[in-house]
Amino acid sequence: MALKNTTATTTTTTTTTASSLRSLPTLFLSLATLLFTLSLILFFLFSNPNTQITPQTLTTLQKPYTSIKVYVADLPRSLNYGLLDRYWSSSATDSRISAESGSQIAPTHLPKNLRFPPYPENPLIKQYSAEYWITGDLMTPESLRAGSFARRVFDVDEADVVFVPFFATLSAELQLGTAKGAFRKKAGNDDYERQRHVVDLVRGTPAWKRSGGRDHVFVLTDPVAMWHVRAEIAPAILLVVDFGGWYRLDSKSSNGSSQDMIQHTQVSLLKDVIIPYTHLLPRLHLSEDQRRQTLLYFKGAKHRHRGGIVREKLWDLLVNEPGIIVEEGFPNATGREQSIRGMRTSEFCLHPAGDTPTSCRLFDAIQSLCIPVIVSDNIELPFEGVIDYSEFSVFVAVNDALRPNWLVGLLRSFSKEQKDKFRQNMSRIQRMFEYDNGHPGGIGPIPPDGAVNHIWKKVHQKLPMIKEAIVRENRKPPGGSIPLRCHCT
């Protein structure tokens, strides 16, 4: 017994001594961190004698700085903000929409010679405005960009990526709104001329030739943006809302030999980033939520092309069901108010595939705390890995949704507690889809947890793979032939 006591005492003493020894590096590290912080404060005080040290300053000094270094390619203003000048100075109306919505910001009310004009309020264009907000953040003076994940650099050799500030969507929409018939043709197509100009400028730079374009970033939110030159920019990092406009045949193509076909190998979740549409409806906070009387809501066009055939079939199944609103809708001011009211008073909002697997409607539903019901088997969603959409959405296979009474039965089976939990989860991620920073021309601090920062964080995650691809490409011997491979996702 005495031996056991002695052993226990010895073990305790040894453990205590070992623990003390182990704590020495921790103590040293703590002291080193404290001294480093104090040295930063002293350096800051000597460099800025008139500046007061606040708790916020201390947090900034101690926080490790993580960012992506972005070089902005040199393009003429006519390819970005100059397109906005052209839009606002034009007297032509968009043939696809009533003037009611497009006149929410009247061109005659805009001051002339604005350096950073506003983006159009026309919902057909505004839903694709990511290009405007991403560019605006990079154009904002550095002193106002403390909350931005992207750090702009002015030496291309210092950059992680090269951002190409072409308003590709606005360019395409200007063409579609005035001369849609010429869009697929190159002759007489102003948008094609702009696409060609951008590609020729960018591909001629040493930066593109060094990387083969793999570290260049293009914003292509509109499914038809840069339509004629996609094969030439395919190696780049593409910011897209989905892949619906890329690796499918056009409906008029009769077989797989079409020269207009975009190969699957040109887009991939390995290199490209799915980004959100710009939502058109205002945010509803959870504290403002009220009782919802309608089970399921959908407002939009019944007839769509390609994968949108599922929408027509769902429409016919649901249109006469009690507690369900399915109605034609148009992107004008009246339709907007109807959508706000419909989404805020409905438990669920239907999101079927249309011309492409996704649409702005999904993000309007999230801002309205209306639980999305996603019937789109090929959908890709932004920020997955950070966001788990199954925590606030209902995913339904197309085949199940088209079974009579199946979808209605599923939605009625959710308890109040389950629906409340969905909305609570939704309220936590609403801000992640916010582009608008509330500043004129988009020039100013951005929401730190908003869409722009999350987009750059997703690009940052892909850098190791992109750098590896550049190195592998550059070490290939001249004349070597390696087949194009499918990057399966």
Side-chain angles (χ1 to χ4, degrees):
M1 193 71 181
L3 182 61
K4 289 182 179 180
N5 285 339
T6 302
T7 303
T9 303
T10 304
T11 302
T12 302
T13 304
T14 302
T15 302
T16 303
T17 303
S19 177
S20 299
L21 290 171
R22 283 196 303 269
S23 68
L24 287 174
T26 303
L27 179 61
F28 178 78
L29 181 61
S30 299
L31 288 171
T33 303
L34 178 61
L35 288 172
F36 178 71
T37 303
L38 288 173
S39 65
L40 282 177
I41 294 172
L42 290 172
F43 176 79
F44 188 83
L45 282 172
F46 281 113
S47 303
N48 304 273
N50 297 323
T51 303
Q52 294 184 345
I53 295 295
T54 65
Q56 184 178 6
T57 306
L58 290 174
T59 301
T60 303
L61 288 170
Q62 296 178 64
K63 182 178 64 175
Y65 190 69
T66 303
S67 63
I68 183 170
K69 291 174 286 186
V70 181
Y71 178 83
V72 179
D74 186 17
L75 294 186
R77 190 176 183 277
S78 61
L79 295 172
N80 39 68
Y81 292 101
L83 292 173
L84 288 169
D85 295 337
R86 180 171 178 171
Y87 174 86
W88 289 115
S89 63
S90 174
S91 59
T93 58
D94 193 326
S95 59
R96 301 164 298 165
I97 190 173
S98 70
E100 180 183 7
S101 178
S103 63
Q104 290 181 21
I105 296 182
T108 54
H109 294 167
L110 290 179
K112 293 183 178 180
N113 301 320
L114 280 178
R115 186 182 177 192
F116 303 107
Y119 206 76
E121 286 294 321
N122 178 336
L124 292 178
I125 305 177
K126 184 178 180 180
Q127 63 180 332
Y128 300 126
S129 62
E131 58 193 14
Y132 180 75
W133 302 108
I134 295 172
T135 304
D137 172 46
L138 292 169
M139 297 300 293
T140 295
E142 201 61 32
S143 60
L144 300 176
R145 302 188 66 248
S148 297
F149 186 78
R151 181 160 65 92
R152 184 175 179 182
V153 297
F154 294 88
D155 183 345
V156 71
D157 292 330
E158 296 178 11
D160 295 315
V161 294
V162 176
F163 178 73
V164 181
F166 175 43
F167 288 176
T169 284
L170 184 57
S171 177
E173 292 293 335
L174 284 171
Q175 185 70 40
L176 288 168
T178 56
K180 186 175 181 179
F183 181 79
R184 290 186 180 275
K185 303 175 183 177
K186 294 180 180 180
N189 184 340
D190 291 341
D191 178 43
Y192 168 70
E193 294 297 330
R194 290 188 288 265
Q195 295 175 35
R196 186 75 266 152
H197 192 189
V198 170
V199 169
D200 290 345
L201 286 173
V202 174
R203 286 172 63 95
T205 62
W208 180 282
K209 294 174 182 177
R210 183 172 59 234
S211 68
R214 287 173 175 81
D215 56 358
H216 285 54
V217 180
F218 290 84
V219 187
L220 305 180
T221 43
D222 193 311
V224 298
M226 300 201 81
W227 180 266
H228 292 283
V229 297
R230 286 184 169 187
E232 298 177 66
I233 63 169
I237 305 163
L238 308 176
L239 309 185
V240 296
V241 292
D242 57 35
F243 294 149
W246 283 82
Y247 53 81
R248 57 165 169 71
L249 283 173
D250 184 81
S251 59
K252 295 182 180 179
S253 299
S254 57
N255 56 61
S257 63
S258 170
Q259 295 301 310
D260 293 329
M261 182 178 179
I262 300 299
Q263 301 295 326
H264 190 166
T265 46
Q266 293 181 357
V267 287
S268 168
L269 288 177
L270 294 177
K271 72 177 184 69
D272 303 319
V273 177
I274 303 296
I275 68 175
Y277 284 80
T278 302
H279 63 83
L280 302 177
L281 304 188
R283 179 180 177 182
L284 175 70
H285 294 269
L286 188 62
S287 60
E288 301 169 326
D289 192 34
Q290 297 182 3
R291 184 173 174 272
R292 295 169 180 260
Q293 301 90 4
T294 304
L295 176 67
L296 180 65
Y297 179 78
F298 174 81
K299 186 179 187 66
K302 177 181 180 180
H303 302 289
R304 306 310 298 166
H305 305 105
R306 308 176 186 103
I309 191 69
V310 65
R311 184 184 295 189
E312 297 182 30
K313 294 180 177 180
L314 276 172
W315 190 294
D316 293 336
L317 281 175
L318 298 172
V319 68
N320 294 319
E321 286 283 343
I324 294 178
I325 297 176
V326 179
E327 58 187 2
E328 287 277 359
F330 302 94
N332 54 29
T334 302
R336 180 178 184 273
E337 294 304 315
Q338 291 172 345
S339 294
I340 291 174
R341 183 167 58 253
M343 287 191 170
R344 291 188 176 191
T345 57
S346 301
E347 298 278 12
F348 299 93
C349 282
L350 185 63
H351 182 76
D355 289 345
T356 55
T358 188
S359 74
C360 178
R361 187 177 295 103
L362 171 62
F363 304 97
D364 284 337
I366 291 172
Q367 297 303 319
S368 303
L369 296 176
C370 186
I371 302 166
V373 179
I374 299 173
V375 186
S376 182
D377 292 348
N378 296 321
I379 196 168
E380 301 291 352
L381 296 165
F383 313 145
E384 287 197 278
V386 178
I387 296 175
D388 182 352
Y389 286 80
S390 65
E391 293 183 348
F392 57 84
S393 305
V394 179
F395 289 87
V396 179
V398 169
N399 288 339
D400 286 333
L402 296 180
R403 292 160 55 187
N405 303 317
W406 192 92
L407 181 58
V408 175
L410 173 67
L411 299 183
R412 294 194 188 281
S413 71
F414 284 95
S415 67
K416 181 181 183 302
E417 290 72 23
Q418 287 175 304
K419 291 181 287 187
D420 287 345
K421 184 65 175 176
F422 275 145
R423 273 189 280 276
Q424 289 171 9
N425 293 337
M426 212 182 317
S427 69
R428 297 189 184 103
I429 54 88
Q430 285 175 307
R431 63 187 181 279
M432 294 176 66
F433 302 116
E434 187 64 61
Y435 283 105
D436 195 335
N437 59 21
H439 299 282
I443 306 299
I446 62 172
D449 200 25
V452 173
N453 271 353
H454 281 285
I455 289 168
W456 284 120
K457 288 177 182 178
K458 292 296 286 188
V459 175
H460 187 264
Q461 291 174 8
K462 300 178 186 296
L463 290 182
M465 184 278 299
I466 292 166
K467 291 178 180 178
E468 179 182 338
I470 294 170
V471 171
R472 290 178 66 248
E473 185 67 25
N474 289 340
R475 55 89 170 154
K476 293 177 184 177
S481 177
I482 298 178
L484 192 63
R485 298 183 180 91
C486 173
H487 297 292
C488 299
T489 53

